[in-house]
Amino acid sequence: MNHLTLEPGSLTLNDLRTVWQSAGRLTLAAEAYADIEASAATVQAIVAKGDPAYGINTGFGILAKRHIPQAQLEQLQQNLILSHAVGTGELLPDHVARLILLTKIGSLARGYSGVRPLIVDTLIALYNAGIMPAIPSQGSVGASGDLAPLAHMTLAMLGVGQVRMKGELMDAGAALEAAGIEPVTLAAKEGLALINGTQVSTALALHGLFMAERLLEGAMVTGALSLDAARGSDAPFDPRVHAVRGQPGQIAAAKIYRELVAGSAIRASHLVGDERVQDPYSLRCQPQVMGAVMDLIAQAGRTLLIESNAVTDNPLIFPDADAAGGATIVSGGNFHAEPVAFAADTLALAIAEIGALAERRIALLIDSTLSGLPPFLVKEPGVNSGFMIAHVTAAALASENKSLAHPASVDSLPTSANQEDHVSMATFAARRLDQMAHNTGVIVGIELLAAAQGIEFHRPLTSSGHLEHVHAQLRGRVAAFDEDRFFAPDIEAAKRMVMQGELSAECRELFAALHP
């Protein structure tokens, strides 16, 4: 079990990947508590003084001019959570909920949000007990923060609604009691601090990012395998070609392809006497396309790492020796998730292109005029359809991804009586990455099956060591395709290998450039 000591503002992508992959324990660095306590004391001083301050003793959004009496401040925060818990749709999976909790804890613990240490400690207790809030996936426009889904997260702290524990839905109050966690009563500003923020859209985008990384690695392996199956040339991977262009992802990708195919006897067999001058683009231009994808993924990762460490609620409390009470409250707009929306939209492009290029290689392999292999990769075509309709599935999913890749960030509908008049749609932008990734996982899985089948037509010649290892992994799960059979289970098995990162598991060092 992993154990992370959280130093607010210092999460790394490797920390986030680890939390995404598995549950563990979380501890907050002791030195963080002083800033949390100082920020909470500022809020308490404002409450005692009675001067109006947004989110502390006023209404919200367009109702910000309504002053709330001190006796109703706890009710104000309670009502805020109940009224904003209006999400719908399927519940977010545990690995996304863990990222939401982690990033919300990290944001509040930086000491600019005015919550008591009790709030942070209760979130940590939920995390460590494996109590995942039941958060519906739909209902946020990505500003003013992920209000509805974060309200559902907050319900768990109150002992209201449902949570998931050990994979089972149960009453939140019962789960807290079983774990020995006291439900909280929210003080001034705490409800607003909990539901303001971009943690849901960021967690969904991180999920998309980490799946995109696996898809990229898997598709580069299957692309190299297809290169050998089609008896393509590795000359286009010559480092000089890529150096003169200078694109960093392309240079890194070409190096990976060179190493993936190094030592292939299939390649060596047609160095002399092959009449083909150039391969189709889906083989020849893999470094150019996948390198550009690598650069997009890296850029999205940088944005999402910053956001994972960010303070994104409103208003914020800053130490100020010259201000009354030693602090200044500033109302801003960090809850606007435009950076996340842009990152998610670029990840959508990357995921779609990974699948689009893989689909073209499947089409190449089943076309005997291009690949030199038997039609549809089966020994007796005609009586057997082989990979004919598997390619149709790949084409259908690649086309579906084209529609899903339409940028969500260019859309906006005003909300809250036009107070919130431009929104990011980041939550949908990030949420749709899951479906796109699964679509692409199927496409790359089909390519894995097709390329492995193609390699076998060149026996007794072998591919490279790396690629033969992947071939053996696949054949441990899926038999060679000698004649037509129920094919869907084979595709599902190959997809699982892709989505779980198995294709690159034994050559992780080749992909170090993808994980800075």
Side-chain angles (χ1 to χ4, degrees), residues 405-428:
H406 178 81
S409 57
V410 300
D411 189 26
S412 176
L413 280 175
T415 59
S416 192
N418 279 312
Q419 174 75 6
E420 298 157 8
D421 57 352
H422 181 277
V423 298
S424 70
M425 295 299 176
T427 322
F428 168 67

Side-chain angles (χ1 to χ4, degrees), residues 325-342:
T328 299
I329 297 181
V330 181
S331 184
N334 281 358
F335 49 67
H336 198 297
E338 196 81 341
V340 181
F342 284 164

Side-chain angles (χ1 to χ4, degrees), residues 1-19:
M1 180 179 290
N2 63 76
H3 187 168
L4 174 63
T5 298
L6 175 60
E7 297 181 5
S10 300
L11 283 168
T12 68
L13 280 176
N14 279 333
D15 292 334
L16 294 160
R17 278 191 204 96
T18 299
V19 168

